[in-house]
Protein backbone atom coordinates (compact mmCIF):
# COMPACT_ATOMS: atom_id res chain seq x y z
CA UNK A 1 0.00 0.00 0.00
CA UNK A 2 1.46 3.35 -1.05
CA UNK A 3 0.54 6.24 1.17
CA UNK A 4 -0.87 9.33 -0.52
CA UNK A 5 0.04 12.80 0.73
CA UNK A 6 -1.48 16.06 -0.49
CA UNK A 7 0.67 19.20 -0.58
CA UNK A 8 -1.51 22.22 0.22
CA UNK A 9 -1.00 25.90 0.97
CA UNK A 10 -1.68 29.36 -0.37
CA UNK A 11 -0.39 30.23 -3.85
CA UNK A 12 3.33 31.01 -4.18
CA UNK A 13 4.51 29.37 -0.96
CA UNK A 14 6.73 26.80 -2.70
CA UNK A 15 4.36 23.83 -3.08
CA UNK A 16 5.14 23.01 -6.69
CA UNK A 17 8.89 23.52 -6.22
CA UNK A 18 8.74 21.09 -3.30
CA UNK A 19 6.66 18.65 -5.33
CA UNK A 20 9.26 18.66 -8.11
CA UNK A 21 11.94 17.81 -5.56
CA UNK A 22 10.17 14.89 -3.87
CA UNK A 23 8.40 13.46 -6.88
CA UNK A 24 9.27 11.98 -10.21
CA UNK A 25 6.60 14.28 -11.65
CA UNK A 26 7.28 17.80 -12.91
CA UNK A 27 4.83 20.43 -11.71
CA UNK A 28 4.65 23.87 -13.26
CA UNK A 29 6.24 26.44 -10.98
CA UNK A 30 5.87 30.16 -11.57
CA UNK A 31 5.42 33.46 -9.76
CA UNK A 32 1.67 33.91 -10.08
CA UNK A 33 -1.41 32.42 -8.39
CA UNK A 34 -3.11 29.30 -9.78
CA UNK A 35 -0.16 28.35 -11.95
CA UNK A 36 -1.08 24.80 -10.86
CA UNK A 37 -4.67 24.08 -11.94
CA UNK A 38 -5.01 20.32 -12.18
CA UNK A 39 -3.45 18.33 -9.33
CA UNK A 40 0.00 17.01 -10.20
CA UNK A 41 0.59 13.43 -9.08
CA UNK A 42 3.96 11.77 -8.72
CA UNK A 43 5.55 9.05 -6.67
CA UNK A 44 8.85 8.62 -4.90
CA UNK A 45 10.63 5.89 -2.99
CA UNK A 46 10.72 5.82 0.80
CA UNK A 47 14.42 6.13 1.72
CA UNK A 48 15.45 3.17 3.89
CA UNK A 49 19.10 2.31 4.44
CA UNK A 50 18.09 -1.12 5.76
CA UNK A 51 16.95 -2.11 2.27
CA UNK A 52 20.36 -1.12 0.91
CA UNK A 53 22.04 -3.32 3.53
CA UNK A 54 19.81 -6.27 2.64
CA UNK A 55 20.62 -5.75 -1.04
CA UNK A 56 24.32 -6.00 -0.23
CA UNK A 57 23.82 -9.22 1.73
CA UNK A 58 21.41 -10.99 -0.65
CA UNK A 59 22.60 -9.64 -4.03
CA UNK A 60 19.05 -10.02 -5.40
CA UNK A 61 17.91 -9.75 -9.01
CA UNK A 62 15.79 -6.74 -8.10
CA UNK A 63 15.14 -4.36 -5.22
CA UNK A 64 11.70 -2.83 -4.61
CA UNK A 65 11.40 -0.02 -2.04
CA UNK A 66 8.19 1.24 -0.46
CA UNK A 67 6.67 4.24 -2.25
CA UNK A 68 4.83 7.44 -1.43
CA UNK A 69 2.38 9.11 -3.79
CA UNK A 70 2.52 12.90 -3.72
CA UNK A 71 -0.34 15.11 -4.92
CA UNK A 72 0.43 18.78 -5.57
CA UNK A 73 -2.90 20.54 -5.07
CA UNK A 74 -3.34 24.03 -6.51
CA UNK A 75 -3.11 26.95 -4.09
CA UNK A 76 -6.14 27.45 -1.89
CA UNK A 77 -7.42 30.95 -1.18
CA UNK A 78 -9.88 32.55 1.21
CA UNK A 79 -13.36 31.51 0.10
CA UNK A 80 -12.24 28.15 -1.30
CA UNK A 81 -14.95 26.38 0.72
CA UNK A 82 -17.50 28.40 -1.28
CA UNK A 83 -15.79 27.66 -4.58
CA UNK A 84 -13.49 30.69 -4.81
CA UNK A 85 -10.39 30.09 -6.91
CA UNK A 86 -11.70 26.71 -8.13
CA UNK A 87 -11.83 25.78 -4.44
CA UNK A 88 -14.36 22.96 -4.65
CA UNK A 89 -12.20 21.07 -7.12
CA UNK A 90 -9.10 21.48 -4.98
CA UNK A 91 -10.87 20.44 -1.80
CA UNK A 92 -12.12 17.29 -3.52
CA UNK A 93 -8.51 16.43 -4.38
CA UNK A 94 -7.49 16.80 -0.73
CA UNK A 95 -10.28 14.46 0.36
CA UNK A 96 -8.64 11.58 -1.51
CA UNK A 97 -5.31 11.82 0.36
CA UNK A 98 -4.17 10.05 3.54
CA UNK A 99 -2.29 12.99 5.03
CA UNK A 100 -1.83 16.71 4.44
CA UNK A 101 1.53 18.40 3.98
CA UNK A 102 0.70 22.05 4.67
CA UNK A 103 3.43 24.25 3.18
CA UNK A 104 3.88 27.62 4.89
CA UNK A 105 5.97 30.45 3.49
CA UNK A 106 8.61 31.33 6.07
CA UNK A 107 10.94 33.43 3.93
CA UNK A 108 11.13 37.00 2.64
CA UNK A 109 11.59 37.64 -1.08
CA UNK A 110 10.36 40.81 -2.77
CA UNK A 111 10.50 39.07 -6.14
CA UNK A 112 7.89 36.48 -5.14
CA UNK A 113 4.48 38.02 -4.59
CA UNK A 114 2.27 36.98 -1.68
CA UNK A 115 -1.46 36.84 -2.33
CA UNK A 116 -2.09 38.86 0.86
CA UNK A 117 0.78 41.29 0.34
CA UNK A 118 2.96 40.28 3.30
CA UNK A 119 4.65 37.22 4.83
CA UNK A 120 2.77 35.81 7.83
CA UNK A 121 2.77 32.00 8.05
CA UNK A 122 0.40 31.90 11.04
CA UNK A 123 -2.20 33.98 9.17
CA UNK A 124 -1.73 31.78 6.10
CA UNK A 125 -2.21 28.65 8.20
CA UNK A 126 -5.41 30.06 9.69
CA UNK A 127 -6.78 30.87 6.22
CA UNK A 128 -6.31 27.28 5.03
CA UNK A 129 -7.55 25.83 8.35
CA UNK A 130 -10.68 27.95 8.17
CA UNK A 131 -11.50 26.90 4.61
CA UNK A 132 -11.03 23.22 5.39
CA UNK A 133 -13.10 23.56 8.58
CA UNK A 134 -15.92 25.32 6.73
CA UNK A 135 -16.02 22.57 4.12
CA UNK A 136 -16.08 19.92 6.86
CA UNK A 137 -18.87 21.78 8.66
CA UNK A 138 -20.92 21.69 5.46
CA UNK A 139 -20.29 17.95 5.15
CA UNK A 140 -21.11 17.26 8.81
CA UNK A 141 -24.35 19.29 8.75
CA UNK A 142 -25.50 17.47 5.62
CA UNK A 143 -24.85 14.09 7.23
CA UNK A 144 -26.60 15.14 10.46
CA UNK A 145 -29.73 16.08 8.52
CA UNK A 146 -29.74 12.64 6.88
CA UNK A 147 -29.09 10.52 9.97
CA UNK A 148 -30.81 12.49 12.75
CA UNK A 149 -34.26 10.94 12.39
CA UNK A 150 -32.90 7.37 12.33
CA UNK A 151 -30.73 8.12 15.35
CA UNK A 152 -33.37 9.76 17.53
CA UNK A 153 -36.55 7.89 16.66
CA UNK A 154 -35.67 4.89 14.50
CA UNK A 155 -33.80 2.84 17.05
CA UNK A 156 -30.86 2.38 14.70
CA UNK A 157 -27.86 1.81 16.97
CA UNK A 158 -25.23 2.55 14.31
CA UNK A 159 -27.08 5.72 13.29
CA UNK A 160 -27.13 6.85 16.93
CA UNK A 161 -23.36 6.34 17.27
CA UNK A 162 -22.76 8.23 14.01
CA UNK A 163 -25.11 11.04 15.00
CA UNK A 164 -23.39 11.54 18.37
CA UNK A 165 -19.99 11.63 16.64
CA UNK A 166 -21.23 14.12 14.04
CA UNK A 167 -22.60 16.40 16.76
CA UNK A 168 -19.21 16.42 18.48
CA UNK A 169 -17.55 17.26 15.18
CA UNK A 170 -20.07 20.06 14.58
CA UNK A 171 -19.43 21.58 18.01
CA UNK A 172 -15.66 21.52 17.46
CA UNK A 173 -15.87 23.03 13.97
CA UNK A 174 -18.17 25.81 15.15
CA UNK A 175 -15.50 26.69 17.73
CA UNK A 176 -12.87 26.97 14.98
CA UNK A 177 -11.27 23.61 15.87
CA UNK A 178 -10.34 20.87 13.44
CA UNK A 179 -12.03 17.46 13.52
CA UNK A 180 -8.79 15.76 14.56
CA UNK A 181 -9.24 17.37 18.00
CA UNK A 182 -12.29 15.09 18.51
CA UNK A 183 -11.06 11.67 19.54
CA UNK A 184 -13.22 8.60 18.74
CA UNK A 185 -14.34 6.87 21.94
CA UNK A 186 -14.28 3.29 20.60
CA UNK A 187 -13.39 1.18 17.57
CA UNK A 188 -16.84 1.63 15.99
CA UNK A 189 -16.56 5.42 16.16
CA UNK A 190 -13.04 5.20 14.76
CA UNK A 191 -14.28 3.28 11.72
CA UNK A 192 -17.19 5.67 11.18
CA UNK A 193 -14.80 8.62 11.40
CA UNK A 194 -12.66 7.14 8.61
CA UNK A 195 -15.71 6.66 6.41
CA UNK A 196 -16.59 10.37 6.69
CA UNK A 197 -13.35 11.43 4.92
CA UNK A 198 -13.30 14.76 6.73
CA UNK A 199 -10.53 17.09 5.59
CA UNK A 200 -9.50 18.32 9.04
CA UNK A 201 -9.46 14.78 10.43
CA UNK A 202 -6.42 13.89 8.36
CA UNK A 203 -2.96 13.90 9.95
CA UNK A 204 -1.14 17.14 9.11
CA UNK A 205 2.48 18.15 8.88
CA UNK A 206 3.39 21.82 8.68
CA UNK A 207 6.28 22.25 6.24
CA UNK A 208 8.03 25.55 6.90
CA UNK A 209 9.64 26.65 3.64
CA UNK A 210 12.56 28.85 4.67
CA UNK A 211 15.41 30.72 2.96
CA UNK A 212 18.77 29.01 2.50
CA UNK A 213 20.34 30.63 5.56
CA UNK A 214 17.56 29.28 7.81
CA UNK A 215 17.53 25.69 6.48
CA UNK A 216 19.39 24.26 9.48
CA UNK A 217 17.89 26.04 12.50
CA UNK A 218 14.81 27.85 11.21
CA UNK A 219 13.96 31.49 11.82
CA UNK A 220 11.49 33.80 13.55
CA UNK A 221 8.68 32.75 11.21
CA UNK A 222 9.21 29.09 12.13
CA UNK A 223 9.11 29.92 15.83
CA UNK A 224 5.77 31.67 15.32
CA UNK A 225 4.44 28.54 13.62
CA UNK A 226 5.71 26.41 16.52
CA UNK A 227 3.89 28.61 19.01
CA UNK A 228 0.67 28.62 16.98
CA UNK A 229 0.63 24.81 16.66
CA UNK A 230 1.95 23.77 20.08
CA UNK A 231 -1.44 22.38 21.15
CA UNK A 232 -2.03 20.49 17.89
CA UNK A 233 -1.22 16.86 17.28
CA UNK A 234 0.93 17.79 14.27
CA UNK A 235 4.52 17.69 13.12
CA UNK A 236 6.67 20.60 11.94
CA UNK A 237 9.42 20.23 9.36
CA UNK A 238 11.88 22.91 8.31
CA UNK A 239 12.88 22.74 4.67
CA UNK A 240 14.29 25.07 2.02
CA UNK A 241 12.61 24.31 -1.29
CA UNK A 242 15.31 26.37 -3.01
CA UNK A 243 18.08 24.17 -1.58
CA UNK A 244 16.14 21.01 -2.42
CA UNK A 245 15.69 22.28 -5.97
CA UNK A 246 19.45 22.84 -6.27
CA UNK A 247 20.16 19.35 -4.88
CA UNK A 248 17.77 17.79 -7.37
CA UNK A 249 19.83 19.24 -10.22
CA UNK A 250 23.03 17.49 -9.09
CA UNK A 251 23.82 14.25 -10.89
CA UNK A 252 25.73 12.12 -8.38
CA UNK A 253 25.25 11.07 -4.77
CA UNK A 254 28.71 12.40 -3.94
CA UNK A 255 27.88 15.85 -5.33
CA UNK A 256 24.66 15.99 -3.33
CA UNK A 257 26.46 15.00 -0.12
CA UNK A 258 29.16 17.64 -0.65
CA UNK A 259 26.49 20.26 -1.22
CA UNK A 260 24.67 19.25 1.98
CA UNK A 261 27.91 19.44 3.97
CA UNK A 262 28.58 22.93 2.63
CA UNK A 263 25.10 23.96 3.81
CA UNK A 264 25.69 22.39 7.24
CA UNK A 265 22.98 19.75 6.71
CA UNK A 266 23.24 16.02 7.45
CA UNK A 267 20.61 14.90 4.94
CA UNK A 268 18.26 16.46 2.45
CA UNK A 269 14.93 17.91 3.47
CA UNK A 270 13.23 15.66 0.93
CA UNK A 271 14.43 12.53 2.77
CA UNK A 272 13.29 13.97 6.10
CA UNK A 273 9.94 14.95 4.57
CA UNK A 274 9.20 11.48 3.21
CA UNK A 275 10.30 9.73 6.40
CA UNK A 276 8.27 12.14 8.54
CA UNK A 277 5.17 11.62 6.37
CA UNK A 278 5.60 7.87 6.79
CA UNK A 279 5.81 8.29 10.56
CA UNK A 280 2.90 10.75 10.59
CA UNK A 281 0.55 7.99 9.42
CA UNK A 282 1.91 5.45 11.92
CA UNK A 283 3.26 3.28 9.14
CA UNK A 284 5.98 0.67 9.50
CA UNK A 285 8.06 -1.48 7.16
CA UNK A 286 8.76 -5.18 6.99
CA UNK A 287 10.95 -6.87 4.41
CA UNK A 288 11.09 -9.95 2.25
CA UNK A 289 14.65 -10.82 1.30
CA UNK A 290 16.19 -13.42 -0.97
CA UNK A 291 18.14 -14.05 -4.14
CA UNK A 292 15.24 -13.09 -6.40
CA UNK A 293 14.06 -9.94 -4.64
CA UNK A 294 14.55 -7.69 -1.64
CA UNK A 295 11.43 -5.67 -1.00
CA UNK A 296 10.01 -3.26 1.55
CA UNK A 297 6.33 -3.64 2.45
CA UNK A 298 4.24 -0.97 4.17
CA UNK A 299 1.93 -1.85 7.08
CA UNK A 300 0.18 -0.01 9.91
CA UNK A 301 1.47 -0.02 13.45
CA UNK A 302 -0.13 -2.96 15.25
CA UNK A 303 -0.88 -5.05 12.17
CA UNK A 304 -0.77 -8.79 12.84
CA UNK A 305 0.95 -11.35 10.63
CA UNK A 306 -2.08 -12.32 8.46
CA UNK A 307 -2.84 -8.68 7.62
CA UNK A 308 0.81 -8.03 6.82
CA UNK A 309 0.76 -11.07 4.54
CA UNK A 310 -2.30 -9.67 2.80
CA UNK A 311 -0.27 -6.65 1.67
CA UNK A 312 1.61 -9.03 -0.64
CA UNK A 313 -1.53 -10.82 -1.85
CA UNK A 314 -5.04 -11.32 -0.46
CA UNK A 315 -4.58 -15.10 -0.78
CA UNK A 316 -1.70 -14.90 1.71
CA UNK A 317 -4.07 -13.47 4.30
CA UNK A 318 -6.99 -15.79 3.54
CA UNK A 319 -4.90 -18.94 3.69
CA UNK A 320 -2.38 -17.83 6.31
CA UNK A 321 -0.76 -20.73 8.21
CA UNK A 322 2.28 -19.22 9.86
CA UNK A 323 5.11 -16.75 9.38
CA UNK A 324 8.84 -17.25 9.62
CA UNK A 325 10.39 -14.14 11.15
CA UNK A 326 13.98 -12.97 11.41
CA UNK A 327 14.86 -9.76 13.21
CA UNK A 328 16.73 -7.30 11.02
CA UNK A 329 19.73 -6.99 13.37
CA UNK A 330 20.09 -10.79 13.53
CA UNK A 331 20.01 -11.05 9.74
CA UNK A 332 22.67 -8.35 9.38
CA UNK A 333 24.87 -9.97 12.02
CA UNK A 334 24.60 -13.52 10.65
CA UNK A 335 24.38 -12.44 6.99
CA UNK A 336 21.90 -15.04 5.67
CA UNK A 337 18.61 -16.81 6.33
CA UNK A 338 20.41 -20.16 6.55
CA UNK A 339 22.78 -18.85 9.21
CA UNK A 340 19.88 -17.37 11.19
CA UNK A 341 18.00 -20.67 11.00
CA UNK A 342 21.06 -22.61 12.18
CA UNK A 343 21.59 -20.20 15.08
CA UNK A 344 17.97 -20.46 16.23
CA UNK A 345 17.25 -16.86 15.24
CA UNK A 346 14.34 -17.70 12.94
CA UNK A 347 11.04 -17.54 14.82
CA UNK A 348 7.80 -19.32 13.88
CA UNK A 349 4.83 -17.00 14.51
CA UNK A 350 1.07 -17.47 14.24
CA UNK A 351 -1.98 -15.33 13.57
CA UNK A 352 -1.64 -13.20 16.71
CA UNK A 353 1.91 -12.08 16.06
CA UNK A 354 2.18 -8.29 15.81
CA UNK A 355 4.66 -7.49 13.07
CA UNK A 356 7.54 -5.26 14.18
CA UNK A 357 9.28 -2.57 12.15
CA UNK A 358 12.20 -4.14 10.26
CA UNK A 359 11.06 -7.77 10.52
CA UNK A 360 12.23 -9.99 7.67
CA UNK A 361 9.35 -12.35 6.90
CA UNK A 362 8.41 -15.43 4.92
CA UNK A 363 4.76 -16.52 4.88
CA UNK A 364 3.32 -20.02 4.59
CA UNK A 365 -0.26 -20.21 3.34
CA UNK A 366 -2.78 -22.57 1.77
CA UNK A 367 -5.84 -21.66 -0.32
Amino acid sequence: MALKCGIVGLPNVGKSTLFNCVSSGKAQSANFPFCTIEPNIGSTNVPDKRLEVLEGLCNPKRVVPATVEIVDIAGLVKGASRGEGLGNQFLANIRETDAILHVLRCFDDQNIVHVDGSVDPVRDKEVIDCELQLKDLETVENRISKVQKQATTGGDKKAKILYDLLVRYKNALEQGKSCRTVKPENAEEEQLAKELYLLTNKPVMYVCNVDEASAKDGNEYVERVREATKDEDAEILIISAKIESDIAELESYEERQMFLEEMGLEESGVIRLIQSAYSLLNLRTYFTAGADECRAWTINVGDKAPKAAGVIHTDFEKGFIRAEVIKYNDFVELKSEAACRAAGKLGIEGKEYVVQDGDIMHFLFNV
Side-chain angles (χ1 to χ4, degrees):
M1 62 188 222
L3 78 102
K4 191 174 186 179
C5 295
I7 300 179
V8 305
L10 293 177
N12 292 350
V13 298
K15 300 186 315 302
S16 294
T17 301
L18 190 60
F19 172 84
N20 286 338
C21 297
V22 302
S23 166
S24 57
K26 288 293 180 183
Q28 186 181 4
S29 177
N31 182 23
F32 55 89
F34 307 120
C35 131
T36 306
I37 302 297
E38 294 296 327
N40 294 287
I41 301 176
S43 62
T44 189
N45 296 335
V46 178
D48 196 324
K49 292 181 180 179
R50 296 174 299 182
L51 191 60
E52 297 175 18
V53 172
L54 292 176
E55 179 184 6
L57 293 172
C58 299
N59 194 26
K61 295 176 183 176
R62 66 171 183 252
V63 178
V64 185
T67 59
V68 179
E69 193 170 274
I70 305 293
V71 185
D72 176 31
I73 297 163
L76 292 168
V77 293
K78 189 178 293 185
S81 60
R82 302 187 303 275
E84 295 292 331
L86 302 179
N88 285 328
Q89 178 183 340
F90 302 157
L91 291 166
N93 295 329
I94 299 171
R95 199 178 301 279
E96 298 172 2
T97 63
D98 300 306
I100 293 174
L101 308 179
H102 186 163
V103 181
L104 297 169
R105 177 172 170 174
C106 294
F107 65 90
D108 294 305
D109 189 333
Q110 294 181 351
N111 296 317
I112 300 179
V113 297
H114 191 291
V115 290
D116 288 326
S118 62
V119 178
D120 185 343
V122 175
R123 175 201 60 206
D124 296 351
K125 169 193 173 307
E126 290 172 350
V127 168
I128 300 295
D129 284 351
C130 183
E131 294 306 320
L132 299 183
Q133 289 166 6
L134 287 171
K135 195 65 180 179
D136 275 350
L137 183 58
E138 177 186 316
T139 300
V140 166
E141 288 179 335
N142 287 339
R143 289 300 301 271
I144 285 177
S145 65
K146 292 178 180 178
V147 79
Q148 185 172 13
K149 187 173 181 180
Q150 290 174 280
T152 55
T153 61
D156 187 325
K157 183 181 177 182
K158 184 175 180 180
K160 177 68 167 60
I161 294 172
L162 176 59
Y163 175 74
D164 290 344
L165 180 62
L166 288 166
V167 169
R168 300 207 315 270
Y169 281 143
K170 183 174 184 290
N171 291 338
L173 291 165
E174 288 177 339
Q175 295 173 45
K177 298 178 181 178
S178 294
C179 290
R180 71 181 70 90
T181 63
V182 177
K183 302 301 180 184
E185 295 179 353
N186 50 55
E188 192 166 4
E189 277 197 354
E190 190 170 345
Q191 183 58 40
L192 289 170
K194 289 178 183 178
E195 294 170 2
L196 290 170
Y197 295 101
L198 296 171
L199 304 174
T200 64
N201 217 11
K202 298 179 183 295
V204 63
M205 180 195 304
Y206 295 106
V207 182
C208 295
N209 184 15
V210 300
D211 57 272
E212 295 179 52
S214 306
K216 184 177 180 181
D217 301 315
N219 55 28
E220 180 186 347
Y221 291 131
V222 175
E223 292 309 310
R224 286 161 62 181
V225 173
R226 288 191 198 281
E227 179 63 26
T229 61
K230 64 182 180 182
D231 296 326
E232 294 187 31
D233 184 17
E235 294 189 30
I236 291 178
L237 185 74
I238 301 171
I239 196 170
S240 170
K242 176 63 171 64
I243 288 178
E244 299 305 315
S245 181
D246 291 341
I247 292 173
E249 296 297 323
L250 299 175
E251 294 293 330
S252 70
Y253 172 81
E254 289 74 17
E255 286 180 307
R256 292 192 289 271
Q257 288 304 115
M258 286 178 62
F259 183 87
L260 286 169
E261 288 176 12
E262 289 174 6
M263 300 302 300
L265 301 172
E266 293 183 6
E267 58 184 358
S268 77
V270 164
I271 288 177
R272 290 185 288 112
L273 176 68
I274 297 168
Q275 291 173 336
S276 296
Y278 210 68
S279 174
L280 183 68
L281 284 167
N282 285 324
L283 299 176
R284 296 293 182 267
T285 301
Y286 77 85
F287 303 99
T288 50
D292 287 332
E293 177 184 271
C294 284
R295 183 163 184 162
W297 301 91
T298 300
I299 58 171
N300 294 293
V301 171
D303 279 355
K304 295 181 179 179
K307 191 167 184 180
V311 174
I312 299 176
H313 196 286
T314 53
D315 284 349
F316 282 33
E317 182 174 7
K318 292 175 184 175
F320 179 89
I321 299 173
R322 65 179 183 273
E324 296 179 346
V325 183
I326 303 172
K327 297 302 178 185
Y328 172 79
N329 289 338
D330 290 335
F331 194 97
V332 172
E333 180 182 349
L334 298 171
K335 300 187 174 7
S336 73
E337 179 183 324
C340 290
R341 191 183 296 271
K345 296 295 185 179
L346 185 149
I348 305 299
E349 304 291 350
K351 293 182 178 181
E352 295 303 309
Y353 176 71
V354 177
V355 179
Q356 302 300 302
D357 187 53
D359 279 353
I360 298 166
M361 306 190 73
H362 176 68
F363 298 103
L364 284 81
F365 70 101
N366 182 30
V367 291

